[in-house]
Amino acid sequence: CSLVGSEMCIRDRFTTNMDGLEYKRTKFNKWVQKFIFWEERTTVKHSHYLIADNMGIHDYYKEKYNKESKFLAYGADIHEDYDISLLAEFGLQPRKYYLLVARLEPENNIEMAIQGFLASGETDKKELIIVGKTNTPHGKYLVGKYTGQPGIRFVGGIYDFKKLNSVRYYSFAYFHGHSVGGTNPSLLEAMASSCYILAHDNIFNRAVLKDNAHYYASSQAVTKLLNSIYESVSYTHLRAHETAANL
């Protein structure tokens, strides 16, 4: 099994399902990054067929290695069993919080969202709820620096999917900061939960979301988005969540 994807061998023909740009993950030191980049090049060279789960990955391998890959999309289950009562466990009220669900790693741009939120006018109106294990080095850094800041709350991982989907569904807006591709399952799950998505601006997120999100590339852009969000969030979206909150 490759670090950059999974391989299948059929009659000495290798098919590799490429993942994201793993060598760009800053949780790895520079030597590990160099090794993973070497592994990527070796995998591309020796694979007979490449599979990409995102058109951004497809285009990357075409441009960098002049090698075609087959785009195979995947999706997420759509649920209708959202339960507003499950919010109480986390001290949440419908549409009173922004949500971010991610591994707490630098390439997921969590600090960018936090800093943008803190500089906005939303800190006295809504919370920013951050879902993810906090025991990573970057997670410990974020918790140490931002715990106690206005509106910021780390709730750890949520592994009950009914609870997590309900927390997603009743959020006001959802941050997706992943930046190294390809298609991230948590983004598809947020889409399936009807989240209003604010996404980091990169080819992978745009390949999935297209015009169905607002994009940011800096904390300043996050602040600008949040300060104008009541003009941006569609009336239909607000009415749907107001109706759900009153059920």
Side-chain angles (χ1 to χ4, degrees), residues 3-6 15-22 25 49-61 68-76 103 176 178-188 191 202-210:
L3 283 175
V4 295
S6 57
T15 299
T16 305
N17 184 3
M18 307 306 296
D19 197 3
L21 306 186
E22 300 300 302
R25 295 192 185 277
Y49 306 102
L50 296 176
I51 297 172
D53 69 2
N54 184 288
M55 284 303 297
I57 294 293
H58 171 279
D59 295 344
Y60 168 78
Y61 287 108
E68 290 289 348
S69 57
K70 176 67 175 177
F71 171 55
L72 295 179
Y74 63 95
R103 291 193 304 270
H176 183 75
H178 297 61
S179 63
V180 298
T183 297
N184 188 267
S186 66
L187 174 58
L188 301 182
M191 295 168 69
N202 59 70
I203 59 173
F204 310 112
N205 292 339
R206 283 189 177 272
V208 176
L209 292 161
K210 297 183 171 56

Side-chain angles (χ1 to χ4, degrees), residues 99-132:
L99 182 65
L100 188 156
V101 180
R103 291 193 304 270
L104 305 193
E105 301 291 357
E107 63 268 13
N108 291 336
N109 295 294
I110 297 153
E111 191 167 28
M112 185 184 295
I114 292 174
Q115 290 178 347
F117 173 80
L118 289 174
S120 76
E122 287 293 282
T123 56
D124 60 347
K125 301 173 185 175
K126 292 178 174 59
E127 292 183 292
L128 173 56
I129 302 301
I130 300 165
V131 176

Side-chain angles (χ1 to χ4, degrees), residues 16-34:
T16 305
N17 184 3
M18 307 306 296
D19 197 3
L21 306 186
E22 300 300 302
Y23 70 92
K24 290 191 174 184
R25 295 192 185 277
T26 53
K27 66 180 179 180
F28 299 129
N29 65 44
K30 66 177 182 178
W31 301 111
V32 174
Q33 288 177 324
K34 285 178 180 293

